[in-house]
């Protein structure tokens, strides 16, 4: 597992806009992350993480796969949300590359709370060779 400090070497976002606490698994074509929704989350509406927060969590999980390349979100396809999570709930997000051509990837993301799937989407991500740690 990767610590919060180590996570910052995978994504360009910085606190308080980091929506990943732990990288559980990471390979060339997939990543699995966790995020416990804190009361201090900047995107909360009341005590609910809205669509923008779920999307940011999915996009950051996809960025983990990119490693130290800069990843840009190009498109969101068919985001389906069955419910919005609350403060204190633990998001478990899995991203799997389903297609790749040059520096463009289609990545399927599934977000769960415990064993309940609460959101699914496909993201199109473009990467460039630039170190995100600078």
């Amino acid at each position: 597992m990767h610590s919060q400090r180590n996570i910052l070497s995978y994504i360009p976002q910085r606190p308080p806009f980091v929506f990943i606490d732990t990288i559980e698994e990471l390979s060339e074509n997939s990543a699995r992350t966790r995020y416990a929704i804190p009361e201090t989350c900047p995107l909360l509406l009341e005590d609910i993480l809205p669509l923008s927060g779920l999307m940011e969590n999915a996009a950051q999980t996809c960025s983990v796969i990119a490693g130290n390349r800069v990843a840009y979100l190009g498109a969101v396809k068919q985001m389906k949300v069955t419910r919005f999570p609350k403060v204190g709930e633990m998001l478990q997000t899995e991203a799997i590359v389903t297609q790749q051509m040059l520096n463009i990837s289609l990545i399927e993301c599934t977000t769960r709370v415990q064993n309940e799937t609460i959101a699914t989407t496909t993201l199109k991500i473009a990467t460039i060779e630039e170190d995100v740690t600078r």
Side-chain angles (χ1 to χ4, degrees):
M1 285 200 228
H2 300 268
S3 68
Q4 177 76 33
R5 183 175 178 189
N6 187 268
I7 288 167
L8 298 180
S9 68
Y10 287 91
I11 62 174
Q13 292 83 359
R14 295 294 176 254
F17 217 73
V18 175
F19 286 71
I20 297 173
D21 293 327
T22 306
I23 300 170
E24 289 191 314
E25 286 185 23
L26 176 60
S27 72
E28 185 178 331
N29 293 308
S30 67
R32 193 168 66 221
T33 64
R34 287 185 179 261
Y35 177 62
I37 304 167
E39 291 179 356
T40 57
C41 177
L43 295 180
L44 287 180
L45 296 175
E46 305 283 323
D47 66 342
I48 302 293
L49 187 68
L51 183 62
S52 57
L54 286 172
M55 180 59 62
E56 189 60 37
N57 172 260
Q60 288 183 22
T61 300
C62 290
S63 287
V64 169
I65 298 171
N68 64 356
R69 296 172 292 160
V70 175
Y72 292 97
L73 178 61
V76 178
K77 293 179 77 176
Q78 301 175 337
M79 182 143 196
K80 296 177 184 171
V81 177
T82 57
R83 77 169 178 89
F84 294 101
K86 297 179 180 181
V87 166
E89 289 189 304
M90 175 71 71
L91 302 183
Q92 303 161 331
T93 303
E94 183 174 27
I96 300 171
V97 176
T98 57
Q99 293 181 22
Q100 177 127 17
M101 183 190 302
L102 302 174
N103 67 326
I104 307 291
S105 300
L106 283 180
I107 304 174
E108 290 185 8
C109 292
T110 302
T111 301
R112 295 178 180 86
V113 172
Q114 295 182 4
N115 292 324
E116 176 190 8
T117 298
I118 64 164
T120 59
T121 190
T122 300
L123 303 178
K124 184 184 290 185
I125 303 289
T127 57
I128 61 171
E129 295 296 328
E130 184 178 328
D131 192 343
V132 297
T133 59
R134 23 179 206 113

